[in-house]
Amino acid sequence: MASLTKTLYKEGQSGPMIEFLDLGMQPIANNFADTADKDEYKYNLSVGFDPDTCLVSLMNKVDPKKMFNDSYEYRSSMSNTMQQHFENIAVRISVLFNPRKVLEIGSNDGVFIKHFNPQDVVAIEPCGNMVDVTTKMGFTTYKNFWSKDVANKLKNVHGEFDVVYAANCMCHIHDLSDAFSGVADALSDDGVFIFEDPSLASTVENVAYDQFYDEHQHIFSVTALYNLLLKEGLEIYGVEKLSVHGGSNRIFCQKIGGNRSGNIIPTLIEESKQGLAKLSTYKDFAESVIQSKDDLLTILKAYKDIGHKVICYGATSKTTTIFNYCGIGTDLIEYITDTTPNKQGKVSPGMHIPIVSPEEGFTDDVDIAFLGAWNFQKEIMAKEQAFLERGGSFITHVPYTRVVK
Ligand code: TMP
């Protein structure tokens, strides 16, 4: 298989981005393979800032079909936290907007739409295995990437939508102008577009450089979204800060001039104070990332040297970035435990660390567990009291490298 940057997907590469962070050659973050493939596809994961829009994006684009295909491993239903999260927002949408027709962009395994009547929902999803899941649940699911063209085809068949919802999906899309313009086309005149994605403010605050991986083409500030959406005829009227995925923003939009009102100025001021519109903030962030790498390697080596058994808890996409950037392999992390059946028995992308079930791997001889799924820290700490009580420790790298008890 060909590797390296010459196979990169270059179409529609964005404008005058200024690079501030280089996380090296990286594999596809969710590409959990049966065996170590030495010719695994890799691309240069570097991150840039667009001073015109304040958008932070990857400098290179990976072909979407390499990431979102019929063997996509990530299932949104895999944690109680996310199950509850999607139930809450689905119920709120029903109560607040009483929509006749809902469109979900990126429906994954149906964790959100399952709270609606199948007749009232249309879903779009590029991963065939996920399309099969929601189709079997009775939902009309189209196997497509989102685009303006697709939006207009859906509108012709189903009419306009009162609510368009997307979770952890818009940040995947390379051409945001086309994507947001498509949403504006699909939305009814008084419709609402609600979407949520990891927050740039939290990413910077937590030095969570592992939010950057192939799927996360952009990490959004509200400031950048405000600029980009206005160009496509949409205005943000509400923002909610969410704790999921290490800190996310839920954005509420309507067509410009719509009758909903909300004050997003405090959020824009907060982001301005944090420096999210200034390149120097990102240069400082890049310095902190180097420090984070040094600290993590130091602590892992120290535990290894005294003979502790160190594993990783959660084979997340984020750990792909960390392990490949820091050069962490089985010399430092013996194996990874993960609850996702499809990841078990496979190896992690790039560094090829074996993945096993928690039953097999989270055993009494484990001394230290690196919190790969640090975004579920609360849920995990509550679940793993016995491990902590017998003297086991978790370590995390956010917001700085430390032991958590
Ligand atoms: P995410 O951070 O990309 O959402 O992925 C979370 C991964 O962590 C997913 O593969 C499931 C796994 N996980 C566990 O193995 N144990 C847990 O207790 C939780 C909450 C998640």
Side-chain angles (χ1 to χ4, degrees):
M1 191 205 288
S3 66
L4 305 185
T5 49
K6 67 177 185 306
T7 54
L8 275 181
Y9 176 78
K10 290 280 188 198
E11 259 175 54
Q13 191 152 21
S14 40
M17 302 264 295
I18 303 169
E19 182 179 324
F20 62 85
L21 178 65
D22 187 350
L23 295 166
M25 295 305 288
Q26 293 273 351
I28 301 292
N30 259 313
N31 188 20
F32 298 91
D34 291 334
T35 51
D37 172 8
K38 65 178 171 40
D39 293 326
E40 193 171 357
Y41 170 83
K42 289 192 177 155
Y43 68 100
N44 179 225
L45 176 58
S46 49
V47 190
F49 171 69
D50 176 354
D52 285 345
T53 59
C54 298
L55 182 65
V56 164
S57 309
L58 306 191
M59 296 298 293
N60 294 308
K61 297 179 171 78
V62 174
D63 181 347
K65 293 194 191 88
K66 284 196 194 301
M67 302 181 273
F68 307 108
N69 47 44
D70 297 350
S71 54
Y72 189 64
E73 308 285 10
Y74 184 78
R75 298 190 63 140
S76 303
S77 296
M78 270 296 134
S79 81
N80 297 334
T81 311
M82 295 316 293
Q83 291 256 15
Q84 193 59 56
H85 173 83
F86 287 113
E87 182 176 347
N88 291 348
I89 183 63
V91 170
R92 263 182 74 202
I93 286 175
S94 298
V95 171
L96 281 177
F97 306 111
N98 191 23
R100 277 161 302 154
K101 205 106 210 149
V102 176
L103 168 68
E104 186 180 18
I105 307 174
S107 46
N108 193 267
D109 62 0
V111 67
F112 167 77
I113 53 176
K114 73 179 182 188
H115 301 288
F116 293 88
N117 190 331
Q119 285 94 280
D120 301 339
V121 175
V122 173
I124 172 159
E125 165 62 50
C127 304
N129 52 339
M130 298 295 150
V131 171
D132 290 346
V133 172
T134 49
T135 304
K136 277 194 194 113
M137 288 159 66
F139 289 92
T140 304
T141 314
Y142 292 91
K143 184 174 184 272
N144 276 106
F145 288 96
W146 179 250
S147 68
K148 187 175 170 71
D149 182 45
V150 166
N152 281 287
K153 284 182 179 144
L154 286 185
K155 189 166 100 171
N156 287 341
V157 177
H158 298 279
E160 290 170 337
F161 294 89
D162 304 313
V163 169
V164 176
Y165 178 76
N168 305 303
C169 180
M170 300 316 288
C171 72
H172 296 171
I173 300 179
H174 295 167
D175 187 346
L176 291 174
S177 166
D178 179 84
F180 288 147
S181 163
V183 171
D185 290 350
L187 215 51
S188 60
D189 279 346
D190 60 350
V192 198
F193 172 37
I194 304 163
F195 67 106
E196 52 190 75
D197 290 285
S199 136
L200 185 61
S202 303
T203 301
V204 170
E205 196 179 315
N206 289 327
V207 196
Y209 64 91
D210 48 334
Q211 288 286 15
F212 295 109
Y213 54 90
D214 50 6
E215 294 181 19
H216 287 176
Q217 183 64 33
H218 319 278
I219 298 289
F220 294 134
S221 61
V222 179
T223 311
L225 287 172
Y226 182 82
N227 293 335
L228 295 164
L229 286 157
L230 271 187
K231 287 189 197 170
E232 310 309 332
L234 294 168
E235 61 182 6
I236 302 178
Y237 72 89
V239 178
E240 287 174 0
K241 287 186 185 176
L242 310 171
S243 60
V244 296
H245 287 298
S248 300
N249 287 317
R250 179 178 286 148
I251 309 288
F252 293 79
C253 296
Q254 62 186 350
K255 291 192 175 175
I256 291 176
N259 54 18
R260 296 180 181 87
S261 63
N263 187 1
I264 69 152
I265 303 288
T267 310
L268 298 178
I269 290 175
E270 210 179 300
E271 289 195 346
S272 174
K273 283 188 182 157
Q274 199 190 344
L276 296 189
K278 287 192 306 198
L279 178 63
S280 58
T281 304
Y282 302 102
K283 290 193 165 162
D284 293 346
F285 172 77
E287 292 293 317
S288 305
V289 171
I290 294 169
Q291 184 65 51
S292 176
K293 171 182 178 174
D294 289 350
D295 291 348
L296 183 59
L297 286 172
T298 303
I299 198 167
L300 289 177
K301 280 177 185 156
Y303 279 122
K304 208 69 201 175
D305 287 349
I306 56 169
H308 276 19
K309 177 165 175 172
V310 184
I311 66 147
C312 172
Y313 195 108
T316 61
S317 330
K318 294 187 281 301
T319 52
T320 298
T321 295
I322 300 169
F323 293 162
N324 286 277
Y325 171 60
C326 298
I328 294 169
T330 47
D331 51 332
L332 292 176
I333 300 252
E334 211 164 296
Y335 53 79
I336 306 172
T337 63
D338 198 283
T339 49
T340 315
N342 288 351
K343 294 182 185 176
Q344 295 161 4
K346 299 200 172 161
V347 294
S348 72
M351 298 310 291
H352 305 145
I353 304 175
I355 301 163
V356 299
S357 69
E359 294 71 33
E360 187 183 340
F362 203 55
T363 42
D364 284 349
D365 56 341
V366 172
D367 298 300
I368 308 287
F370 174 64
L371 264 179
W374 59 267
N375 43 313
F376 293 109
Q377 184 175 329
K378 243 192 197 160
E379 179 176 336
I380 293 168
M381 300 294 267
K383 192 161 65 173
E384 305 298 359
Q385 279 303 310
F387 169 67
L388 295 167
E389 276 160 21
R390 71 161 175 78
S393 302
F394 286 106
I395 55 176
T396 184
H397 71 296
V398 287
Y400 56 90
T401 306
R402 69 212 158 95
V403 174
V404 280
K405 280 281 186 191

